């Protein structure tokens, strides 16, 4: 294989990897998502409404003006504004979420499989961080104040903790219309059916009684849907 041919293959592979790194680019002004399959077109996981029938409400959501209910074990609540709440986001590749924190409330370690997140603190003081992938598993963390911004790379485990004595609020911007969320504790110890204790005792190097205790807990989901 010639050097020029090899170089072409490498460049082509890089182009494909970049092209698949986020939601596909839209090929029209918008594609309002609908559940009705009659006279509609299936695009990027959703059916599209006839553009002539689009209304302002297809691009509108008032839910972020309402504080989330933080009276749970975690002391936090995430209110998403993605394609499920705003049908007009379909194919546009962006979404938002409001995160409310009670004093010392935690948005627990989780990841977004399909999006990078940029977090802006509106009120309060947050300790935030993410962990890099194997083998380093390096913690990159910082204390944020009102107006500060922090980025969580796509797919990496991250968290936010309100370290102040008052409520805190943040807005998360995400690079996908449907970023998804995997809360680590819920997924590992709250799966249905449960993961075998033999797997978890070896994976976490703890006694089986510890695993049984963790699996018996009620794992809070701090997301509204």
């Amino acid at each position: 294989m010639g050097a020029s041919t090899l170089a072409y293959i490498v460049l082509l592979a890089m182009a494909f990897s970049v092209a698949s790194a986020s939601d596909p680019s839209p090929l029209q002004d918008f594609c309002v998502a609908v559940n009705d399959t009659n006279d509609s077109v299936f695009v990027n996981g959703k059916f599209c409404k006839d553009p002539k029938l689009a209304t302002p409400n297809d691009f509108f959501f008032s839910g972020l003006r309402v504080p989330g209910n933080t009276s749970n074990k975690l002391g936090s609540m995430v209110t998403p504004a993605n394609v499920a709440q705003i049908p007009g986001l379909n194919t546009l590749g962006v979404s938002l979420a409001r995160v409310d924190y009670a004093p010392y409330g935690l948005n627990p370690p989780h990841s977004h499989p399909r999006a990078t997140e940029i977090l802006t603190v509106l009120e309060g003081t947050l300790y935030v961080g993410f962990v890099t992938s194997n083998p380093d598993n390096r913690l990159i963390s910082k204390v944020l104040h009102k107006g500060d911004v922090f980025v969580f790379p796509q797919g990496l485990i991250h968290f936010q903790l309100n370290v102040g004595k008052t409520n805190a609020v943040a807005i998360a911007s995400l690079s996908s219309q449907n970023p998804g969320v995997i809360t680590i504790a819920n997924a590992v110890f709250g799966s249905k059916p449960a993961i075998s204790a033999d797997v978890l005792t070896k994976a976490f190097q703890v006694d089986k009684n510890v695993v049984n205790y963790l699996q018996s807990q009620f794992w809070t989901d701090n997301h509204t849907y």
Side-chain angles (χ1 to χ4, degrees), residues 178-206:
N178 183 21
V181 60
I182 301 171
T183 305
I184 308 308
N186 299 42
V188 173
F189 297 108
S191 67
K192 299 178 181 61
I195 298 174
S196 167
D198 293 335
V199 173
L200 298 181
T201 52
K202 183 165 287 190
F204 289 92
Q205 301 179 38
V206 295

Side-chain angles (χ1 to χ4, degrees), residues 76-181:
S76 71
M77 182 58 67
V78 178
T79 305
N82 57 43
V83 70
Q85 292 77 36
I86 309 175
L89 279 180
N90 190 39
T91 75
L92 299 186
V94 294
S95 60
L96 289 173
R98 170 178 174 145
V99 192
D100 289 273
Y101 314 81
Y104 309 110
L106 171 70
N107 191 12
H110 63 281
S111 67
H112 302 292
R114 295 181 290 275
T116 290
E117 174 183 340
I118 181 167
L119 187 84
T120 304
V121 180
L122 301 184
E123 297 290 343
T125 305
L126 299 177
Y127 167 59
V128 307
F130 64 87
V131 179
T132 64
S133 55
N134 297 356
D136 293 340
N137 299 131
R138 180 185 170 203
L139 173 63
I140 297 178
S141 63
K142 194 168 182 63
V143 174
L144 306 182
H145 303 279
K146 181 177 179 179
D148 288 345
V149 171
F150 198 82
V151 174
F152 304 109
Q154 180 173 338
L156 296 187
I157 295 172
H158 58 282
F159 61 86
Q160 304 108 38
L161 173 68
N162 181 3
V163 292
K165 296 181 180 179
T166 61
N167 292 338
V169 183
I171 291 290
S173 304
L174 300 122
S175 62
S176 171
Q177 68 179 46
N178 183 21
V181 60

Side-chain angles (χ1 to χ4, degrees), residues 4-20:
S4 60
T5 303
L6 181 60
Y8 175 77
I9 293 173
V10 170
L11 287 172
L12 188 62
M14 290 176 64
F16 276 118
S17 68
V18 170
S20 63

Side-chain angles (χ1 to χ4, degrees), residues 32-34 49 53-61 85-89:
V32 176
V34 292
K49 177 190 288 189
L53 301 178
T55 70
N57 282 338
D58 292 326
F59 305 91
F60 172 77
F61 179 62
Q85 292 77 36
I86 309 175
L89 279 180

